[in-house]
Amino acid sequence: MSQAFDLVLSGIDHDVLTRHLLPEDGKEAAAILLCRDITPVRNRLLVTGVRLVPHEECRSREPDWITWPGKRLSDAIGEAEDLGLSIILIHSHPGGYPVFSAIDDKSDRVTIPSIFSGWSGPEPQAGHGSAIMTPPGAIRGRLYSADGQMGHFRRVIVVGDDIKIFPDEEPGRPIAMAFGSGMTETLAGLHACVVGVSGTGSIIAEQAARMGFGTITLIDFDTVEPKNLNRILGSSIEDANTSAIKVEVVASAIRRYRNDVDLVTVPENIFSRVAVLAAAKADIIFSCVDSSEGRQICDLVARAFLIPLVDMGVTIPTRRIPEGGTAIAEVMGRIDYVQPGGPTLADRQVFTPTSLRAEYLARVDPVAYAHEVNEGYIRGAPREAPSVIALNMRAASAAMLEFIARAFPYRHEANKLYARTLFALADGEQEYLPESVFENSGVPPGGGLTEPLLGLPALGI
């Protein structure tokens, strides 16, 4: 098999697997993973279902051996055929043996061909495979094509409270220390997508480039205007005068100090098929948009493709004062970390059906929009506050540090306590909220390239 694939699963599924595959009795255990292939967008399998093989159904379970019933596999084949999914058979090596054993090789030579021979529908492009888990939860795997060719997963990625990356050559390798050269080395193999490259977005892009991300995708349809010059890093008067495309301006600035980064510029609205497919290639998405619709699409992309999402927003509410005029009521910022299977931005009310409708109405029928604003049915768009680069930098820095905390844990407390960060600068307060405070709609992640894309007819083929 010439193509190297990644295997990606949610932290929720990884926790379920770890508890089942590494039980207290120290014996091997087994499970079946149902995976969605997202080639040609990216050589990646997304785990969309975990089917545990009950310990009591196994004919034999030893610290270095397991035999489990074929009915579980037959059921999985029937389920996977209906959805066009790949099957990965995973078992544990509780003793910590980090490679496939001779027994594993022999088992694959019998079991994998039987999956292909029992397949009645179109064969998955990625094929089927097997994997092993070692304590405390490292995974490595391999894929087989229908003609028996084998290839190893390039890496296994777990997207949960922590972002864990298990490279095939050393799945048990310790996580690099935050802010060190090891972090830089790891980032060189990661792909960041920045959606919206204006106020906070240009700052996020600057950080991503100087920290060492190997690939950076910039998505924004807009052009530079004079009003943008005080908050888009790298922009110039000439860019404003020529209405230069924002993503090209930011990319040009990055190229002046990085010649080893793969920059992808997408001058499109995120609500376009081209932009969505570009974002789907990323390992981390930074949502730096100021619209409900933009946040909705970022939310849906992250959920569909099992990508961690960091969304940020700033606001400066004002109040009336007795002397007349207005004064600052607060200077606020918000950073949300969203993981597959957890509460989405929609669940967290970052955007609502009302805010989505207001934006749609403002775009397609400005007269009706103005009428409803006057009638009090919807709130009007906030006034632009151009002198906010200091606040933007505060929020963008917190957003990037949130990603670092997830991929290279440095906090004294568990990351699960930091699903949302809120700061209020006038009061000098900072608050952290766990995922448990939000209702979870429970929409299953991992839809991948299922048409229509993201479930939205407007993004269909």
Side-chain angles (χ1 to χ4, degrees):
M1 181 173 289
S2 59
Q3 295 179 325
F5 278 74
D6 290 340
L7 180 68
V8 184
L9 65 159
S10 70
I12 296 171
D13 283 342
H14 184 257
D15 289 345
V16 169
L17 278 172
T18 302
R19 287 193 297 269
H20 179 76
L21 295 179
L22 299 173
E24 293 182 356
D25 63 10
K27 297 179 181 180
E28 289 192 5
I32 303 171
L33 307 181
L34 304 181
C35 307
R36 178 164 280 116
D37 183 7
I38 63 168
T39 53
V41 170
R42 190 166 190 179
N43 292 340
R44 178 168 278 193
L45 286 182
L46 311 178
V47 176
T48 62
V50 174
R51 305 294 179 261
L52 306 178
V53 178
H55 301 329
E56 62 273 14
E57 290 186 10
C58 300
R59 292 195 297 273
S60 62
R61 287 182 60 238
E62 302 296 335
D64 58 354
W65 174 269
I66 187 169
T67 304
W68 50 283
K71 184 179 186 307
R72 292 284 172 175
L73 179 56
S74 298
D75 292 344
I77 290 176
E79 188 176 357
E81 279 181 331
D82 293 339
L83 300 173
L85 305 178
S86 293
I87 289 176
I88 304 295
L89 309 177
I90 184 170
H91 71 283
S92 56
H93 284 181
Y97 189 57
V99 296
F100 289 91
S101 67
I103 295 176
D104 297 335
D105 295 340
K106 181 178 179 180
S107 176
D108 280 5
R109 285 195 293 269
V110 174
T111 307
I112 300 299
S114 72
I115 297 176
F116 281 105
S117 63
W119 207 264
S120 60
E123 293 175 356
Q125 183 176 342
H128 306 289
S130 63
I132 56 174
M133 175 183 280
T134 55
I139 299 174
R140 73 185 312 181
R142 52 193 183 184
L143 273 174
Y144 296 87
S145 59
D147 60 5
Q149 294 186 53
M150 184 192 74
H152 286 266
F153 284 111
R154 184 170 67 100
R155 56 188 182 175
V156 176
I157 301 173
V158 176
V159 183
D161 293 322
D162 298 337
I163 300 171
K164 302 174 183 178
I165 302 173
F166 303 116
D168 178 66
E169 65 273 10
E170 198 178 352
R173 183 174 65 191
I175 298 172
M177 185 178 70
F179 310 111
S181 59
M183 185 180 98
T184 304
E185 181 182 344
T186 301
L187 290 178
L190 296 182
H191 182 166
C193 176
V194 184
V195 183
V197 296
S198 195
T200 54
S202 68
I203 302 166
I204 287 287
E206 178 86 0
Q207 294 179 88
R210 292 192 184 273
M211 283 168 49
F213 276 93
T215 305
I216 301 174
T217 293
L218 306 172
I219 300 176
D220 197 320
F221 70 94
D222 212 352
T223 57
V224 178
E225 301 177 65
K227 67 181 182 182
N228 303 140
L229 295 179
N230 63 353
R231 57 188 185 273
I232 298 181
L233 301 189
S235 62
S236 68
I237 293 174
E238 181 182 358
D239 295 327
N241 290 339
T242 59
S243 297
I245 298 172
K246 287 181 179 179
V247 292
E248 298 298 344
V249 169
V250 174
S252 178
I254 291 173
R255 292 189 183 101
R256 287 198 288 269
Y257 57 85
R258 283 282 307 272
N259 59 9
D260 61 341
V261 60
D262 183 11
L263 284 170
V264 181
T265 57
V266 184
E268 299 272 351
N269 190 313
I270 186 60
F271 198 170
S272 71
R273 188 177 178 88
V274 170
V276 166
L277 294 179
K281 298 179 181 181
D283 297 307
I284 173 70
I285 296 176
F286 293 98
S287 169
C288 308
V289 297
D290 57 5
S291 69
S292 292
E293 185 178 73
R295 287 191 168 97
Q296 180 194 34
I297 300 301
C298 289
D299 205 27
L300 292 173
V301 172
R303 185 174 68 195
F305 295 95
L306 303 189
I307 303 172
L309 170 68
V310 179
D311 179 73
M312 67 213 75
V314 297
T315 183
I316 307 176
T318 60
R319 58 184 174 83
R320 296 281 184 180
I321 57 177
E323 297 81 6
T326 57
I328 296 295
E330 191 50 89
V331 180
M332 304 174 66
R334 172 195 54 78
I335 294 89
D336 275 279
Y337 172 80
V338 181
Q339 60 176 296
T344 64
L345 292 181
D347 295 332
R348 303 174 192 215
Q349 300 290 296
V350 174
F351 62 87
T352 64
T354 299
S355 66
L356 290 169
R357 177 180 177 277
E359 289 181 1
Y360 175 77
L361 195 61
R363 184 173 65 250
V364 302
D365 193 343
V367 174
Y369 172 77
H371 174 72
E372 292 204 16
V373 169
N374 292 333
E375 292 294 322
Y377 297 119
I378 57 180
R379 293 181 180 180
R383 296 179 180 178
E384 291 186 352
S387 299
V388 292
I389 188 168
L391 179 56
N392 287 341
M393 284 190 164
R394 173 72 162 78
S397 176
M400 184 58 75
L401 286 168
E402 189 61 46
F403 163 74
I404 295 173
R406 304 293 177 155
F408 310 93
Y410 63 81
R411 286 179 170 130
H412 292 166
E413 296 182 299
N415 276 326
K416 67 179 181 180
L417 302 176
Y418 294 80
R420 169 174 287 176
T421 299
L422 298 169
F423 62 82
L425 300 182
D427 284 333
E429 295 179 349
Q430 189 153 289
E431 181 182 6
Y432 304 101
L433 301 175
E435 286 190 348
S436 58
V437 305
F438 306 107
E439 287 192 20
N440 190 337
S441 57
V443 178
L449 297 171
T450 304
E451 292 292 343
L453 196 59
L454 306 186
L456 300 176
L459 295 177
I461 294 176

